[in-house]
Amino acid sequence: MTTSEEKRQPEITLTGCGYHRVLELISDKWTALVIYALENGSVRYGELLRKIEGISKKMLTHTVRKLERDGLVHRHITPIVPPTVEYSLTPLGESLLEPMRSLRQWIRVHDSQVMAARVNFDQTYNKDNDSPNLEDHL
Amino acid sequence: MTTSEEKRQPEITLTGCGYHRVLELISDKWTALVIYALENGSVRYGELLRKIEGISKKMLTHTVRKLERDGLVHRHITPIVPPTVEYSLTPLGESLLEPMRSLRQWIRVHDSQVMAARVNFDQTYNKDNDSPNLEDHL
DNA sequence: CGGTATCCTAAGCGATACTG
DNA sequence: CAGTATCGCTTAGGATACCG
């Protein structure tokens, strides 16, 4: 019955698409920033909190926990009082730096083109005003 | 006053981190899937809808519009009735494929390590039960 | 110091119905 | 065929306070 004119079922699924699966690891609001902060070696919790602008304790903890669960980040506790907690990339996490850097390189090269495309798009399909603030969500 | 013991301001910002800025382009739920669907050439709206499992018209439209606004996807309308709309990657969009493919390659190689890390994490910090369903959000 | 707990809002997303 | 419009849910995320 499915011989000649087979109904084609969807070929692309969330769980089957490699693009989507990596992005799940690194695409919430703060994950990329934390990885960036750990690129040059281990950093303490409080330091991360100060280095990453705008992050709250809640979100920092949430983000490093998720990274730890996925095996990308290691958490090292020195059990003194008060406690010292160092975070660092695991070898697995470091192996992800290379593909991530090529992404970053892409935006460095093409950022202006993206910006230009946005301005052009917003002008073409004019957002029903003539003196809008073009900066999106800054 | 900020000579010797300068208070160090945050070094890492959402708008300053290249990692974060690229991810903004490609990291919502369906964007990666749409790019994947367009990797081999232009595809019609209805085809995308059928090829990508679970996507709704609303989200497909939303996703391709965002991609178009960012200059990654081109929208070509053939004004007949009923209309035909083809979507394809722009040169800018195609240039993004290379770094994205290296990300995808990474997950292909390291997926099992991530999965193993998760199982290990969940067992170590046991989620207060002994027969949990380990599959997260499938 | 390095976190949790709680509450609350805003955004993302899905379902359904309607349209040129 | 290729979309909008509307509604409502569910989650991500922010603010604040408390804890070992």
Side-chain angles (χ1 to χ4, degrees), chain A residues 11-13 19 21 23-26 33 39 51 53 69-70 95 106 111 117-118 122 136-137, chain B residues 11-13 19 21 23-26 33 37 39 51 53 69-70 95 106 111 117-118 122 136-137:
Chain A
E11 304 154 33
I12 301 177
T13 63
Y19 291 160
R21 292 217 314 283
L23 291 177
E24 276 197 297
L25 302 179
I26 55 174
L33 294 272
E39 227 173 350
K51 284 179 70 170
E53 184 180 69
R69 187 172 108 98
D70 291 341
S95 75
W106 186 92
D111 205 4
R118 285 181 187 167
D122 291 346
D136 313 32
H137 40 277
Chain B
E11 305 154 32
I12 300 177
T13 63
Y19 291 160
R21 292 217 313 284
L23 291 177
E24 275 197 296
L25 302 180
I26 55 174
L33 294 272
E39 226 173 352
K51 283 179 71 171
E53 185 180 68
R69 187 172 108 97
D70 291 341
S95 75
W106 186 92
D111 204 4
R118 285 182 186 165
D122 291 346
D136 313 30
H137 39 278

Side-chain angles (χ1 to χ4, degrees), chain A residues 17-45:
Chain A
C17 176
Y19 291 160
H20 184 259
R21 292 217 314 283
V22 225
L23 291 177
E24 276 197 297
L25 302 179
I26 55 174
S27 67
D28 12 327
K29 182 165 184 186
W30 300 105
T31 300
L33 294 272
V34 170
I35 291 175
Y36 180 47
L38 296 177
E39 227 173 350
N40 296 314
S42 71
V43 181
R44 294 183 59 176
Y45 183 87

